[in-house]
Amino acid sequence: MGAAISRLVARTRAFFGGPRVPARESLPRLPLALRRGELAQRYLAEGAADHPTAGSAASNASEEAMAEGAWWPADVWGHRALWHFEQAGMELQATRAARRIGDVRLGGGDPSSSRRYYAEAISEARDIGAEREEGLAALGMGRAELELRDVTTARRLGQIAVDLLERAGAPAEEIVAAIDLRGEEKEVS
């Protein structure tokens, strides 16, 4: 999605005669706090080979940091994974990386900014026909909406997630999570 947005911005600038901004060809150095340790060593060692390998290493580092509740490192690693997957043209992996950044932001207590990444993942998943990823992103977006106290939108997203995940043949626990988000209608008497 990031590449698609960049192209859209470039076309808009060209149309209106704005300056052309070159696409980023490299990542800035890892923040100093993340350059040491096992995660960084694996990323730096594996990432030297190519974008797919670097993306996988960064994605693994993000998952490990997320499991430890280390939200800032998980976010940094997630963005690196997204960038590498976009550079490699790996649309499904980039979509997953965007969704996982949404998960990181939501888990870290920032449901507002998580919605941007879930929306990106939903859009990209729809474009490539990845219904399971679209369903998981809708589920994440619904959870973010619930955190923001928009219960109606959360429930609607829960139903959308149920439909997509069932069609995609997703694991039962993912479907159950979407059903739980959707909730049940209760008659008010």
Side-chain angles (χ1 to χ4, degrees), residues 112-182:
S112 291
S113 73
S114 72
R115 294 184 305 176
R116 170 182 174 230
Y117 294 96
Y118 288 132
E120 180 177 334
I122 289 168
S123 177
E124 289 296 314
R126 186 176 301 133
D127 288 350
I128 62 174
E131 287 187 330
R132 181 173 177 221
E133 278 304 313
E134 187 178 354
L136 291 172
L139 177 59
M141 176 83 85
R143 288 176 173 157
E145 293 296 339
L146 192 59
E147 286 286 320
L148 294 167
R149 310 257 190 265
D150 188 347
V151 176
T152 302
T153 301
R155 292 187 71 222
R156 286 182 184 148
L157 286 161
Q159 182 59 54
I160 290 167
V162 168
D163 294 342
L164 289 163
L165 293 169
E166 284 178 344
R167 260 197 328 255
E173 62 270 7
E174 292 173 0
I175 296 169
V176 168
I179 290 170
D180 288 345
L181 178 63
R182 178 192 65 198

Side-chain angles (χ1 to χ4, degrees), residues 25-92:
E25 294 183 17
S26 66
L27 280 171
R29 287 188 63 170
L30 270 172
L32 184 59
L34 297 181
R35 287 187 211 151
R36 293 181 181 31
E38 186 180 334
L39 297 177
Q41 296 310 313
R42 277 189 276 160
Y43 170 76
L44 295 170
E46 295 173 17
D50 54 38
H51 286 299
T53 304
S56 292
S59 183
N60 291 338
S62 179
E63 292 287 334
E64 289 181 35
M66 190 175 173
E68 296 172 8
W71 304 114
W72 176 73
D75 191 75
V76 171
W77 287 117
H79 277 87
R80 283 188 170 278
L82 177 60
W83 185 82
H84 284 294
F85 290 140
E86 285 177 342
Q87 296 302 304
M90 300 172 73
E91 294 173 333
L92 180 59

Side-chain angles (χ1 to χ4, degrees), residues 83-112:
W83 185 82
H84 284 294
F85 290 140
E86 285 177 342
Q87 296 302 304
M90 300 172 73
E91 294 173 333
L92 180 59
Q93 290 81 354
T95 301
R96 282 187 185 132
R99 177 180 55 81
R100 295 303 289 160
I101 293 169
D103 292 344
V104 167
R105 296 281 174 101
L106 182 60
D110 190 2
S112 291

